[in-house]
Amino acid sequence: MSTYTPKNILITGAAGFIACHVANRLVRSYPDYKIVVLDKLDYCSNLKNLIPSRSSANFKFVKGDIASADLVNYLLITESIDTIMHFAAQTHVDNSFGNSFEFTKNNIYGTHVLLEACKVTGQIRRFIHVSTDEVYGETDEDAVVGNHEASQLLPTNPYSATKAGAEMLVMAYGRSYGLPVITTRGNNVYGPNQFPEKLIPKFILLAMRGKPLPIHGDGCNVRSYLYCEDVAEAFEVILHKGEVGHVYNIGTTKERRVIDVAQDICKLFNIDADKSIQFVENRPFNDQRYFLDDQKLKDLGWSERTVWEDGLRKTIEWYTNNPDWWGDVTGALLPHPRMLMMPGGIERNLDGAEKFDLGSNEFSGKSNETKMVTPASKTSNVPPKSPFKFLIYGKTGWIGGVLGKLCEKQGIPYEYGRGRLEDRSKLLADINTIKPTHVFNAAGVTGRPNVDWCESHKPETIRTNVAGTLNLADVCREKGLLMINFATGCIFEYDAAHPEGSGIGFKEEDTPNFHGSFYSKTKAMVEELLKNYDNVCTLRVRMPISSDLNNPRNFITKISRYNKVVNIPNSMTILDELLPISIEMAKRNLKGIWNFTNPGVVSHNEILEMYKKYIDPTFTYANFTLEEQAKVIVAARSNNEMDASKLKKEFPELLSIKESLIKYVFEPNKKTSA
């Protein structure tokens, strides 16, 4: 492993939280490196954060904005900068909802200015761009392995969208101009010097003042937290050992719910969490979970050192000893702060809808009496006479998400399960708390970005697809509940008895004959075992399609983006038609195995021809053979026809696959005069 040795480093945003710890560490540990820090001293920056470095001979502070091309070019040349560590950014998600253009200006335009200066001067040997785990978007609640560096970027809020946009610029400059770029994506960081708009310092300062701790929503959002010095060490390792062109996740597998963090802080302050925690309105979109795979960074020699209890205790001690570090932070301690971000100054505004008096013990500001404000239930407007209540697993998955929307549309009370499928005690807790009439299991591992992932993650695949599913079925049986289990029909392959084009489909009682992928093996295995449970309704889904053509999991979306496709007929599932049927099946208490596909088959080419006809007449595609496909995939893919006559008999109105495609997918998305 080669080691990089910088000479003159420019650190942007170094008077901010994370960057100050990195700057102070490098100044202290490497006296031969010259550290130049650039910061415009925005509201969340503080020169006091750099006090440990101020008297060092190898340290220089420059007040300025990364958006100033003249300043940046001047610094790179006059200071002979060979390395940039780019931390400067607007980072608070709440602010991005109210002041998103400032995020675009700082995070995207500012980064672009830096990159262009690097291109023009031609002297940069390392450009380390600091991004965030939020660019991956929400992680599935049931995911057992986190997002890795090659995972798709799916940001969900203006902040993460601007960070993803900045990453694209960094990558483009690396590819187009050969700029030696490295990108990092990190979990939440906590510790001394953090501006108290962020969760942990906000809770600490409120607890110090004897005020309520406001929690967005129900407090069950999950986050991973790293202590600031561990993160500073990670950047030290990446600076010296990171490979140009690579992305590195800086993360931890230890996760905590927001409410757990609040309770831990209350415990260390010896205050009653039940009286101190208050639930407030959730922010516009609050991702449930971010989860990273940090093995790549561990391979460079880094590992998390500070355990949560020690890090939190040190952080509390620092804020206790430095209560006025940030001056008047009243506005930052509000449940939903909105900052007007201006260089060199700060104005803190309170949304008109918010009434939070720091002089009282409740958010209404009307009384000193502690009051518990609970989050509004999703089903608060549902008539109580409904005979059904559904418990759904797989909240962040495609099918699980759509099921929730269908329940809302039909007025069916529902809640998403919080427990992991492999944790029996959490499943029992969900059922005992929610008291459902039916349980839907839409959780499972299919792989990121596809089933090839399962080939190299077999224990993780077994844990969820087999052990977890059986665990849930067994708990439901114990509680006398029907479980609707979304399975797969990718456990069969055309054979002599079911030849392609014959119209002879595999029936529910047929034995799986496809063993080409580990994913399919686990699904076939668990299906066979579930036959022993009389409380399970197994729905075999195949190549799911919906009217949402922007969804990357949609089969049409996938094949329309492929360079080449195989042209072979298959049974498929139109979710817009069939998911409402799954709810009806629960109401009818149907059990056993069902081929959950539309009758008939459709080929890849037929779908793409429909796509051309209804969506984009300029669209083109190319074919390749199964043999050619096998050269570019790890695991084989299943191709088959399923016999849907059992489902059709139960639901006579069920459309054939081609009719359903036109009615539910292509007609609603029609953009041509087809």
Side-chain angles (χ1 to χ4, degrees):
M1 183 183 298
S2 60
T3 300
Y4 171 69
T5 303
K7 293 181 180 179
N8 304 311
I9 305 174
L10 175 67
I11 302 180
T12 69
F17 171 48
I18 301 176
C20 77
H21 288 281
V22 175
N24 291 333
R25 183 185 187 92
L26 294 178
V27 168
R28 178 181 68 247
S29 303
Y30 301 93
D32 293 337
Y33 298 175
K34 180 169 72 173
I35 310 298
V36 180
V37 304
L38 175 64
D39 200 299
K40 68 178 181 179
L41 297 181
D42 207 341
Y43 76 97
C44 55
S45 299
N46 195 330
L47 269 177
K48 290 192 290 186
N49 290 343
L50 295 167
I51 287 175
S53 300
R54 190 167 55 184
S55 60
S56 300
N58 62 331
F59 173 81
K60 181 174 183 177
F61 175 81
V62 178
K63 180 181 178 181
D65 194 337
I66 58 171
S68 171
D70 289 341
L71 173 60
V72 172
N73 277 280
Y74 175 80
L75 280 178
L76 295 190
I77 294 170
T78 58
E79 301 294 341
S80 300
I81 300 298
D82 57 39
T83 302
I84 293 178
M85 302 181 78
H86 176 36
F87 289 86
Q90 298 291 352
T91 64
H92 193 49
V93 177
D94 267 358
N95 288 343
S96 76
F97 290 117
N99 202 358
S100 56
F101 285 109
E102 193 72 17
F103 280 68
T104 301
K105 176 184 173 184
N106 282 270
N107 299 353
I108 296 181
Y109 180 73
T111 301
H112 200 170
V113 169
L114 281 174
L115 292 167
E116 189 65 15
C118 294
K119 184 193 79 172
V120 171
T121 58
Q123 64 193 46
I124 300 300
R125 297 170 58 214
R126 286 290 187 281
F127 184 102
I128 298 176
H129 175 68
V130 182
S131 191
T132 170
D133 58 0
E134 294 198 37
V135 297
Y136 293 119
E138 198 168 47
T139 306
D140 291 348
E141 286 184 90
D142 296 308
V144 292
V145 174
N147 284 301
H148 54 80
E149 288 80 358
S151 294
Q152 187 176 11
L153 304 190
L154 295 168
T156 58
N157 58 62
Y159 159 61
S160 57
T162 61
K163 293 299 287 184
E167 280 198 35
M168 296 301 102
L169 281 169
V170 171
M171 181 174 64
Y173 269 73
R175 291 179 176 176
S176 296
Y177 304 114
L179 198 66
V181 299
I182 296 173
T183 297
T184 70
R185 299 173 185 147
N187 278 149
N188 285 18
V189 184
Y190 73 100
N193 306 87
Q194 189 171 29
F195 187 73
E197 66 188 357
K198 298 300 174 97
L199 181 80
I200 291 175
K202 174 187 283 193
F203 282 0
I204 290 172
L205 286 179
L206 287 172
M208 287 168 57
R209 300 177 185 197
K211 308 304 178 190
L213 278 54
I215 289 181
H216 293 172
D218 62 6
C220 290
N221 301 76
V222 176
R223 297 292 184 266
S224 300
Y225 299 92
L226 280 170
Y227 190 63
C228 54
E229 285 302 327
D230 291 350
V231 174
E233 182 182 3
F235 280 104
E236 179 184 6
V237 170
I238 291 168
L239 170 65
H240 295 110
K241 297 181 180 180
E243 292 188 52
V244 168
H246 284 237
V247 178
Y248 293 93
N249 286 336
I250 304 175
T252 173
T253 57
K254 301 175 181 67
E255 299 179 285
R256 283 169 181 81
R257 299 178 304 168
V258 171
I259 194 168
D260 296 330
V261 173
Q263 290 170 343
D264 287 347
I265 290 173
C266 288
K267 182 178 180 181
L268 288 173
F269 276 98
N270 197 28
I271 57 180
D272 188 339
D274 291 337
K275 294 181 179 179
S276 298
I277 292 173
Q278 296 200 17
F279 296 96
V280 300
E281 181 183 0
N282 214 341
R283 68 191 190 204
F285 190 93
N286 198 356
D287 287 326
Q288 180 65 27
R289 183 189 187 207
Y290 304 122
F291 190 41
L292 296 180
D293 180 344
D294 64 347
Q295 186 59 47
K296 188 174 178 181
L297 181 55
K298 286 180 178 176
D299 291 341
L300 293 185
W302 176 84
S303 62
E304 178 185 6
R305 299 179 185 274
T306 308
V307 298
W308 167 252
E309 292 76 14
D310 291 344
L312 188 59
R313 188 175 296 106
K314 284 192 249 183
T315 304
I316 290 175
E317 288 175 359
W318 186 87
Y319 282 95
T320 302
N321 294 329
N322 299 278
D324 301 318
W325 190 263
W326 291 101
D328 180 12
V329 292
T330 302
L333 299 181
L334 298 168
H336 296 280
R338 290 288 188 271
M339 308 299 178
L340 292 183
M341 294 163 285
M342 298 177 291
I346 175 172
E347 180 181 346
R348 299 184 174 95
N349 280 354
L350 176 61
D351 282 356
E354 293 291 350
K355 303 288 184 184
F356 181 42
D357 180 1
L358 286 172
S360 75
N361 282 330
E362 68 174 38
F363 296 122
S364 66
K366 297 178 181 177
S367 167
N368 287 324
E369 180 184 356
T370 300
K371 176 183 177 182
M372 181 65 75
V373 181
T374 57
S377 169
K378 286 183 179 177
T379 57
S380 58
N381 295 323
V382 176
K385 61 183 179 182
S386 173
F388 304 107
K389 186 173 186 181
F390 294 163
L391 170 58
I392 303 172
Y393 286 92
K395 175 182 178 181
T396 58
W398 185 16
I399 290 177
V402 175
L403 280 173
K405 293 176 182 177
L406 287 173
C407 287
E408 290 176 0
K409 187 176 180 180
Q410 295 186 24
I412 301 173
Y414 76 98
E415 290 191 37
Y416 285 108
R418 297 174 182 174
R420 297 284 181 85
L421 296 189
E422 59 268 26
D423 191 333
R424 186 181 183 90
S425 63
K426 293 291 177 62
L427 300 183
L428 285 167
D430 281 344
I431 291 172
N432 290 335
T433 301
I434 296 168
K435 297 179 172 57
T437 59
H438 299 77
V439 176
F440 285 76
N441 179 31
V445 170
T446 57
R448 288 175 176 264
N450 55 48
V451 295
D452 288 344
W453 178 91
C454 300
E455 301 299 315
S456 56
H457 295 81
K458 293 180 178 179
E460 296 92 336
T461 306
I462 293 172
R463 189 177 303 131
T464 299
N465 290 357
V466 181
T469 302
L470 291 173
N471 203 25
L472 182 59
D474 195 58
V475 169
C476 288
R477 184 174 184 273
E478 179 181 317
K479 293 293 183 177
L481 294 170
L482 174 66
M483 181 180 87
I484 308 295
N485 183 54
F486 289 94
T488 181
C490 294
I491 54 177
F492 296 101
E493 182 69 40
Y494 287 122
D495 60 15
H498 310 82
E500 178 185 334
S502 67
I504 303 173
F506 289 91
K507 295 181 179 293
E508 282 78 4
E509 60 270 20
D510 287 334
T511 302
N513 68 342
F514 176 70
H515 311 290
S517 73
F518 190 74
Y519 164 77
S520 293
K521 288 179 183 177
T522 62
K523 301 300 275 188
M525 181 188 307
V526 76
E527 181 182 290
E528 181 64 26
L529 293 170
L530 285 175
K531 290 179 181 178
N532 298 290
Y533 287 84
D534 58 3
N535 64 312
V536 175
C537 178
T538 294
L539 306 180
R540 292 172 174 168
V541 176
R542 284 220 72 223
M543 296 180 173
I545 294 171
S546 83
S547 55
D548 180 7
L549 295 181
N550 292 317
N551 192 313
R553 303 180 190 182
N554 192 330
F555 181 71
I556 295 178
T557 308
K558 288 181 180 180
I559 64 172
S560 66
R561 295 176 180 177
Y562 289 164
N563 293 326
K564 293 183 178 181
V565 297
V566 293
N567 183 33
I568 189 165
N570 271 286
S571 288
M572 301 184 190
T573 302
I574 307 301
L575 296 180
D576 302 70
E577 181 175 15
L578 283 162
L579 284 188
I581 287 177
S582 71
I583 291 176
E584 182 60 29
M585 295 176 80
K587 293 177 180 178
R588 298 183 188 183
N589 288 317
L590 299 178
K591 301 174 183 178
I593 298 173
W594 299 76
N595 288 338
F596 204 58
T597 61
N598 292 84
V601 293
V602 63
S603 70
H604 295 60
N605 283 14
E606 287 175 313
I607 290 177
L608 294 177
E609 285 298 326
M610 290 183 192
Y611 187 88
K612 286 182 65 174
K613 179 179 178 181
Y614 287 90
I615 310 297
D616 181 7
T618 66
F619 177 77
T620 60
Y621 60 91
N623 291 129
F624 64 166
T625 65
L626 288 171
E627 291 74 22
E628 290 171 325
Q629 181 196 47
K631 296 178 181 179
V632 296
I633 57 177
V634 177
R637 303 295 194 262
S638 161
N639 294 288
N640 65 57
E641 178 174 354
M642 312 288 290
D643 186 331
S645 57
K646 178 180 176 181
L647 190 66
K648 177 75 172 177
K649 183 178 180 181
E650 185 73 26
F651 298 94
E653 69 278 12
L654 181 64
L655 296 178
S656 69
I657 182 61
K658 294 177 184 177
E659 292 174 317
S660 191
L661 273 169
I662 293 171
K663 178 179 179 179
Y664 289 99
V665 180
F666 287 115
E667 282 290 350
N669 286 288
K670 187 176 180 180
K671 295 180 181 178
T672 71
S673 57

